[in-house]
Amino acid sequence: MKKIIIFGLIFCALNAQNFESVYAQKKDEILREYEKLDLAKEEFEAYKASTLALLKQKDDFINQRAKDANETLAQVMAKEENIKKMLEEKEENIKKMLERNEELLNSINGASQNKVQEIYAKMKDGPAAAIISDLPRDEAAKILFYLQPKKVSAILAKTDPSVASELTQLLKDKNLFNDANSSK
């Protein structure tokens, strides 16, 4: 039995060295695998950090572009509002100028018509009839329209009967005087 125990001890001693070498080998293998994993982990972390940095850079770029676009849009809208205001002011000024021009034109036409009326009212009937006969018929009718009826009858009496007839027909035509009445 001593032999068996000695043999068992020798076997254990021999196997112990063999186990230690296998253990050392496995330990080295595990350490190499651990180093590979550690290296892979570091590479992954570096890749992750660079990807996150790139994404942040892109987000910053997109945010800056959006901010620039919003500022540009705000400027365009402000300019558009200014242009609208300017156009409204111009339209208002044009309306005022048109009203003032119409008033001036009406005033001039009224003054002109009054002046013509005064001239013919002060003229003697014969010369007035001669001038009226030479004028275009519608203009002559307009002049007669503004004179006193007594003066018109005196001028028509001195005018050629065919011309007086035409002028009488024109004086009856209300459409001829619509623009004359509207400018009064």
Side-chain angles (χ1 to χ4, degrees), residues 19-132:
F19 283 134
E20 284 181 24
S21 69
V22 169
Y23 176 74
Q25 244 180 355
K26 287 293 181 184
K27 183 179 176 184
D28 287 342
E29 241 180 76
I30 290 172
L31 285 175
R32 279 193 302 266
E33 286 297 316
Y34 181 75
E35 286 175 3
K36 284 182 187 177
L37 286 173
D38 197 37
L39 184 62
K41 181 181 175 186
E42 288 175 9
E43 287 176 358
F44 175 74
E45 291 295 326
Y47 177 73
K48 181 180 171 184
S50 67
T51 303
L52 289 175
L54 183 62
L55 286 174
K56 184 179 182 326
Q57 209 175 25
K58 284 184 179 180
D59 282 347
D60 291 346
F61 177 75
I62 290 171
N63 290 338
Q64 184 61 39
R65 294 292 294 214
K67 181 181 174 187
D68 292 345
N70 288 337
E71 288 175 0
T72 303
L73 180 63
Q75 289 173 353
V76 167
M77 290 176 73
K79 286 182 181 180
E80 193 174 273
E81 284 297 318
N82 286 340
I83 289 171
K84 283 182 182 177
K85 286 179 184 176
M86 287 173 45
L87 286 175
E88 289 172 358
E89 289 174 2
K90 292 283 183 189
E91 286 178 9
E92 189 65 31
N93 287 341
I94 289 171
K95 285 180 183 177
K96 288 179 182 177
M97 289 173 66
L98 282 173
E99 288 174 2
R100 191 173 61 213
N101 286 346
E102 285 178 13
E103 289 173 4
L104 288 172
L105 182 62
N106 289 339
S107 169
I108 290 170
N109 285 341
S112 168
Q113 194 62 40
N114 288 340
K115 192 75 160 171
V116 169
Q117 180 184 359
E118 286 178 30
I119 291 171
Y120 278 93
K122 291 180 182 179
M123 285 178 88
K124 293 188 177 184
D125 300 336
I131 294 172
I132 292 286

Side-chain angles (χ1 to χ4, degrees), residues 147-163:
L147 294 176
Q148 295 292 325
K150 186 176 182 181
K151 185 69 173 178
V152 172
S153 63
I155 291 173
L156 287 177
K158 302 274 181 169
T159 308
D160 181 63
S162 63
V163 173

Side-chain angles (χ1 to χ4, degrees), residues 8-26:
L9 282 177
I10 292 176
F11 180 73
C12 282
L14 286 175
N15 277 337
Q17 285 178 351
N18 196 12
F19 283 134
E20 284 181 24
S21 69
V22 169
Y23 176 74
Q25 244 180 355
K26 287 293 181 184

